[in-house]
Amino acid sequence: MSNTLLTSSIIAKETLAVIENNCAFGGMVNRDYETEQVGSMRTGYEPGATLNIRKPSRYTYRSGRTSVPQASVDTTIPLTLSQGGADLNFNLFERTLQITDRRIQKKINAAAATIVNEIDRVGLLLARTAVYNCLNPTGALPATQAEAVAAITSINRRLDEMGAPRDNMRGLIMNPAFNAASVGGFAGLFNGQAKLGRQYDSGLMVDSLGLSYAMDQNVAVHTNGAATATNINGAGQTGSSITVNAVAGGTLAAGTVITLPGVYAVNPQSRVSTGVLAQFVVTADTAAASTSIPISPAIVTSGAYQNVTASPTSGSPYVIVGAASTSYACNVGFHEDAFTLAMVPMATPPDGTGARVEQISHNGYTIKVTDFYDGTNDNVITRLDVLFGWAATYPELACKYYTV
């Protein structure tokens, strides 16, 4: 049998396989939007390019016979692409080796792991700042079977309240501590022998209770600022900021979750109150003495995009979720449509540059491998490049679960 020598095509295929098989968060989110810009695909995207992800219009129900035409309001979510990768240095001897050679595999796996780590890290950092539903403000890990089950069912309940479909597309990304506590808590529950065996062998949560699970060391950590809550200042407020009495105690950090007095979440279709206070995430650091807090989502009290029952009650305090100056791991439960990851082809060097390029795509993952010769050291430099971006397309379909 002939040897399979190391080529840019082989490196591209091996690297892409490692990325696809190990991208925990990226493998559980929506990947459909990459095909919307077919024209750009032919020549490749450039770093900094933006994909505009279109969201469908929403409408209100008409009761009775008389027609009430409604305007269609299309909204888009921008997804900005950024370039990164890892670079390998193969000497000419290594280029003559088989791809199965252990030295070659270790180099490729290490480079691919670096890329996977960054893709997931960026996505989970976005989840920390974009997701406003939040549970477990004490941050306590489940210590009993009942607490472990309650943690999972509370996440599913919040996703149900926000209208997330029950279509086997829900997931939960857990940090090592939450994963370990959950495995311990679920150990005594009745499950099929095969499922228990997989959990025992791997030490990882296996799919159950309507969620797919993955453990990821990149789960982002949020630290609440030193701010303490003050009162709402003004009635009838709507939109993406709220006016309050001067923020006290210190900075209200971006990513902090708050609730507003008298403001309850509604079902996105029926607009009926869920009976749970709506939660909002602070979108930018707000310094002490500031009187305006930027929030997401925007407060909408009527119409097709209504998301709350009423404006906040003036003169009453808002509430900060979690303790001041405390750090929380932002484990995230979500429906796959909550987030989008795009990995798209890149523009390639023009002919005559002496570079050899191989670019391949599979299942929404794309890698570009570029080889060029270093005559000074008699080496071949191999660039591994990806062009990717994240967007929180439907952040209401996600929920953070704090642990400390």
Side-chain angles (χ1 to χ4, degrees):
M1 182 180 296
S2 60
N3 291 340
T4 304
L5 299 180
L6 194 62
T7 66
S8 55
S9 175
I10 293 296
I11 293 173
K13 291 176 182 177
E14 291 292 317
T15 305
L16 194 64
V18 175
I19 292 173
E20 184 176 343
N21 291 331
N22 292 278
C23 201
F25 188 34
M28 299 170 70
V29 301
N30 194 300
R31 310 298 309 282
D32 294 341
Y33 297 100
E34 296 159 8
T35 60
E36 291 190 356
Q37 310 269 336
V38 177
S40 295
M41 287 283 192
R42 296 193 182 101
T43 56
Y45 292 95
E46 293 286 351
T50 298
L51 306 181
N52 288 311
I53 301 172
R54 188 178 302 277
K55 299 176 66 173
S57 299
R58 291 174 62 180
Y59 304 93
T60 56
Y61 175 75
R62 170 183 52 79
S63 179
R65 182 178 179 181
T66 304
S67 173
V68 184
Q70 301 176 55
S72 296
V73 180
D74 288 340
T75 57
T76 59
I77 302 295
L79 184 155
T80 302
L81 300 169
S82 61
Q83 180 180 355
D87 306 314
L88 302 174
N89 189 353
F90 292 108
N91 59 46
L92 293 183
F93 170 72
E94 288 175 318
R95 278 283 176 172
T96 67
L97 297 176
Q98 292 177 297
I99 189 62
T100 53
D101 187 281
R102 182 174 176 82
R103 288 168 291 177
I104 301 302
Q105 280 290 349
K106 287 178 70 174
K107 279 191 174 184
I108 293 175
N109 289 346
T114 300
I115 296 170
V116 168
N117 185 80
E118 182 62 11
I119 293 171
D120 268 3
R121 188 194 68 82
V122 172
L124 289 166
L125 189 62
L126 173 67
R128 178 185 76 83
T129 56
V131 174
Y132 41 85
N133 292 304
C134 186
L135 298 172
N136 200 35
T138 66
L141 288 166
T144 66
Q145 183 181 98
E147 290 176 356
V149 173
I152 303 305
T153 56
S154 66
I155 292 170
N156 269 322
R157 173 189 169 181
R158 180 56 57 88
L159 296 181
D160 290 337
E161 290 169 346
M162 302 309 294
R166 286 272 190 171
D167 56 1
N168 297 319
M169 294 299 179
R170 294 183 178 188
L172 174 59
I173 300 292
M174 319 166 81
N175 73 349
F178 190 23
N179 173 75
S182 299
V183 169
F186 275 60
L189 290 177
F190 175 78
N191 274 302
Q193 190 63 43
K195 183 170 288 188
L196 284 174
R198 292 199 305 273
Q199 187 164 286
Y200 179 82
D201 290 342
S202 67
L204 300 172
M205 284 288 291
V206 297
D207 298 357
S208 57
L209 297 180
L211 295 175
S212 298
Y213 302 91
M215 188 276 290
D216 199 318
Q217 296 93 334
N218 289 306
V219 166
V221 174
H222 170 73
T223 302
N224 278 352
T228 56
T230 58
N231 290 346
I232 301 296
N233 187 2
Q237 296 190 54
T238 58
S240 57
S241 65
I242 54 170
T243 301
V244 299
N245 294 340
V247 172
T251 298
L252 187 61
T256 300
V257 176
I258 62 175
T259 61
L260 306 178
V263 181
Y264 290 84
V266 300
N267 179 281
Q269 294 301 324
S270 68
R271 285 89 181 176
V272 174
S273 173
T274 64
V276 176
L277 284 171
Q279 294 178 309
F280 301 85
V281 66
V282 178
T283 57
D285 286 347
T286 305
S290 297
T291 58
S292 180
I293 301 175
I295 58 170
S296 176
I299 297 172
V300 182
T301 58
S302 63
Y305 292 90
Q306 180 182 349
N307 57 6
V308 296
T309 55
S311 297
T313 305
S314 183
S316 296
Y318 58 92
V319 175
I320 297 172
V321 176
S325 303
T326 301
S327 296
Y328 299 93
C330 297
N331 308 281
V332 58
F334 57 96
H335 184 272
E336 72 163 3
D337 288 338
F339 303 98
T340 293
L341 167 65
M343 290 184 68
V344 297
M346 300 177 62
T348 57
D351 294 338
T353 60
R356 183 172 57 188
V357 181
E358 184 73 25
Q359 185 161 226
I360 61 173
S361 299
H362 185 256
N363 289 340
Y365 295 90
T366 298
I367 185 80
K368 183 181 78 169
V369 176
T370 307
D371 288 334
F372 54 95
Y373 181 61
D374 173 12
T376 301
N377 298 296
D378 197 27
N379 286 334
V380 175
I381 308 299
T382 299
R383 291 177 55 108
L384 308 179
D385 282 282
V386 291
L387 188 60
F388 73 96
W390 284 89
T393 38
Y394 294 92
E396 66 270 24
L397 302 184
C399 178
K400 292 183 287 196
Y401 191 90
Y402 277 171
T403 56
V404 293

